[in-house]
Amino acid sequence: MDGLEKTIVESLERVAETAGDPTPAVYERLFERHPEMQPLFILDRNGSARGHMLSEALDCVLDFCTGDKYASNFIESEQMNHDGLGVPPDIFSTFLAIVVEVFKELLGTDWTAEMDTAWKDVLKGLEVAPPSAG
Ligand code: HEM
């Protein structure tokens, strides 16, 4: 495992240990920022699609750390599929930025500078970072 993957994995493990399943916190923040997205999940009564979607996104993050074998292509094609659901492509970068923001908050003082840099690198590398994040 190289440094980037190690740090990302460590942050994911820490989040799971500290806060359990981060899914509710991530979507709560997403719907706070983008209330217009909430009705799109109306059929996801038990939250399984939300959980699955987050885990696919995190799998993309891990794949990116090990050479981006599918992540960039998958995200690009999901952006097209989601467009049909009413999800504008640029919300993907917001979603990933919210994931990082929520993880950082959940870890509090356990969030390290290495984790911060690693996540910034991944978001930037996946080319879904919002312009303001550089
Ligand atoms: C890296 C980013 C993303 C990935 C990899 C991804 C992937 C997925 C996957 C795999 C599903 C199917 C889940 C299932 O049915 O079990 C899904 C469903 C969905 N996604 Fe995403 N997604 C991403 C970002 C987003 C964003 C930013 C939004 C909007 C805020 C969004 C809205 C939805 C909606 C509305 C569904 C359908 C939920 C349902 O079936 O009720 N996705 N996504």
Side-chain angles (χ1 to χ4, degrees):
M1 237 192 254
D2 76 2
L4 184 64
E5 186 189 12
K6 195 165 168 282
T7 307
I8 295 287
V9 168
E10 195 188 318
S11 70
L12 295 174
E13 286 173 355
R14 275 295 172 87
V15 167
E17 282 162 22
T18 313
D21 180 3
T23 307
V26 166
Y27 286 88
E28 195 180 312
R29 185 65 52 87
L30 176 68
F31 298 148
E32 249 167 56
R33 299 265 164 82
H34 291 277
E36 77 281 10
M37 290 293 126
Q38 193 157 11
L40 300 177
F41 289 88
I42 203 132
L43 293 176
D44 182 28
R45 291 203 181 83
N46 64 3
S48 69
R50 273 166 280 187
H52 182 206
M53 194 175 106
L54 178 59
S55 94
E56 292 273 0
L58 296 177
D59 282 348
C60 284
V61 166
L62 290 171
D63 175 74
F64 177 81
C65 295
T66 54
D68 196 4
K69 288 185 271 303
Y70 77 89
S72 292
N73 288 330
F74 180 69
I75 288 177
E76 203 179 313
S77 75
E78 281 303 328
Q79 282 175 311
M80 282 186 263
N81 294 336
H82 280 67
D83 209 17
L85 294 171
V87 177
D90 64 346
I91 297 234
F92 275 59
S93 64
T94 310
F95 178 69
L96 289 170
I98 284 173
V99 168
V100 182
E101 183 182 311
V102 167
F103 285 3
K104 188 173 174 169
E105 283 173 23
L106 291 173
L107 287 197
T109 53
D110 282 346
W111 182 263
T112 64
E114 287 75 22
M115 290 176 189
D116 213 73
T117 307
W119 277 97
K120 277 191 183 129
D121 286 351
V122 170
L123 264 53
K124 201 167 167 185
L126 281 172
E127 291 183 349
V128 288
S132 59

